[in-house]
Amino acid sequence: MDPSPASAPELPALPPQPGVSYVMPVLNEVGYIEAAVASILAQANPGESELILALGPSTDGTDAIVERMAAAEPRIRIVDNPDSDIPIGLNRAIAVSRFPVIVRVDAHTELADDYTLRGVETLARTGAASLGGVMQATGKPGVQAAVARAYNSRFGLGGGAYHGGDEVPEGPAESAYMGIMRREALDAVGGFDETLRRGEDWEFNHRLRRAGYLVWLDPKLRVTYWPRSTWARLARQFVATGIWRGELVRRLGGSNPLRFFAPPVLLLSLVLSVVLLPLHATGVLHGVLGWILALAYLGPLAYLALLVVAAATTTGGLVDRLRFAGVLAVMHLSWAAGFVVGVVRGARDAVDTSRTES
């Protein structure tokens, strides 16, 4: 973790019951949007609230559902997000918001009833500019359940604190999942970077920390997350995420944690092993050089062992265990492939098509 310096800018005290503005980018969420909105409107928060939906051009009927909900609930407002870019949608929603606390939410998430109340109390108690809690992924039986299990597993997403559960201590953090933010700090650093299409949360909190603000993790804050439900959507999501992480490495260099470099190292060792194996098998590589190059096999063998351990230590039948191992491999290798592309050539116009294609 990278805690904020002691000279962090001092934020004004929050009023006893501050108003809260929820901001949510929305695109093709027909199966999730109503539950997500219901969890927001049911928040046990005594202050005023509003929900601003940054609505992209959905093709699955989401727009009609959103318009119906907005007509029935005065707290819901809609802003257009014609290009569907998440940071642009967030900034558009924030620009028309009215309250000093901004809560980012996604249409694939559902908030615990006391999420906002505890979040506001933690903001006031810590003086943080941005804070987040723990993602609790869940899924319907099959691929989505396996993906959720991978998200929640220590084998899944590389050690991000917000996947750690109760064992993670409360305290300063590198980033904030589904941030609860002070409007003053958000405005001070210029909001979300609209040139990014993925990784905007991490980059935003990175700028907050560099400006001296405090980013905080409260593991008692819980958000239910519904992940992708097919192999193809999962792969496309993680390729896009990896590409944009590679772009952030190009932009920010050593500010990126070392854990982000493990998957691409694994991928490169796998590729090298595929090239070397027939050369070793046919005797083209031999002697000292052959033994030295054989060290490349250690990466794939260690990863295979990790998948075996992950499958053996999870729950369910043989199919569930194999599916879980397969999900881990798709997540890690798709992300790694995207990362290499992003580092080598930059993100350019890469987009996450996992919500727009079948």
Side-chain angles (χ1 to χ4, degrees), residues 1 151 153-164 168 174 259-260:
M1 290 184 180
Y151 267 81
S153 167
R154 66 184 185 278
F155 298 110
L157 295 181
Y162 60 81
H163 300 290
V168 176
E174 174 188 303
R259 70 176 184 275
F260 291 129

Side-chain angles (χ1 to χ4, degrees), residues 32 108 140 142-145 147 226-234:
Y32 301 94
H108 261 232
K140 298 175 183 178
V143 173
Q144 190 178 45
V147 175
W226 293 86
R228 304 305 191 268
S229 57
T230 70
W231 296 100
R233 289 177 184 271
L234 179 68

Side-chain angles (χ1 to χ4, degrees), residues 35-312:
V37 169
S39 78
I40 293 167
L41 299 179
Q43 288 293 290
N45 184 53
E48 292 184 271
S49 66
E50 63 182 353
L51 168 58
I52 306 166
L53 304 175
L55 189 57
S58 296
T59 58
D60 65 349
T62 296
D63 291 7
I65 295 174
V66 167
E67 289 166 2
R68 171 172 55 78
M69 290 190 297
E73 172 54 67
R75 287 179 290 174
I76 297 176
R77 291 193 285 155
I78 300 172
V79 295
D80 289 331
N81 186 25
D83 293 326
S84 304
D85 289 331
I86 289 175
I88 294 176
L90 289 171
N91 284 343
R92 288 187 174 193
I94 292 165
V96 301
S97 65
R98 299 184 292 129
F99 298 126
V101 175
I102 306 294
V103 179
R104 181 197 165 153
V105 281
D106 277 354
H108 261 232
T109 61
E110 295 172 27
L111 306 182
D113 291 346
D114 65 345
Y115 180 83
T116 306
L117 183 63
R118 181 174 178 87
V120 170
E121 290 174 348
T122 303
L123 279 180
R125 171 170 56 85
T126 63
S130 173
L131 70 91
V134 173
M135 171 199 287
Q136 291 185 310
T138 189
K140 298 175 183 178
V143 173
Q144 190 178 45
V147 175
R149 185 175 298 180
Y151 267 81
N152 295 332
S153 167
R154 66 184 185 278
F155 298 110
L157 295 181
Y162 60 81
H163 300 290
D166 289 328
E167 65 271 17
V168 176
E170 182 178 9
E174 174 188 303
S175 188
Y177 174 62
M178 295 290 100
I180 301 174
M181 299 163 281
R182 292 292 303 270
R183 176 63 181 265
E184 298 93 339
L186 196 154
D187 289 342
V189 299
F192 290 91
D193 186 339
E194 296 187 359
T195 67
L196 296 173
R197 285 175 168 158
R198 303 289 294 180
E200 70 285 341
D201 285 335
W202 187 92
E203 190 277 337
F204 166 72
N205 284 286
H206 174 74
R207 277 187 286 120
L208 282 178
R209 289 185 288 111
R210 289 195 62 176
Y213 290 103
L214 180 65
V215 177
W216 194 261
L217 170 69
D218 182 352
K220 294 191 182 301
L221 290 171
R222 298 303 175 109
V223 180
T224 298
Y225 172 74
W226 293 86
R228 304 305 191 268
S229 57
T230 70
W231 296 100
R233 289 177 184 271
L234 179 68
R236 289 200 299 269
Q237 176 194 15
F238 273 77
V239 167
T241 303
I243 287 174
W244 283 99
R245 174 52 60 179
E247 173 69 24
L248 285 173
V249 167
R250 289 169 65 97
R251 296 187 188 192
L252 302 175
S255 297
N256 293 269
L258 288 176
R259 70 176 184 275
F260 291 129
F261 296 88
V265 169
L266 167 66
L267 178 63
L268 294 176
S269 71
L270 281 170
V271 172
L272 183 59
S273 296
V274 170
V275 173
L276 292 177
L277 187 59
L279 300 179
H280 276 113
T282 57
V284 174
L285 285 176
H286 57 83
V288 175
L289 177 61
W291 283 106
I292 292 174
L293 292 176
L295 294 174
Y297 301 133
L298 293 178
L301 290 173
Y303 186 64
L304 179 60
L306 180 144
L307 293 180
V308 170
V309 170

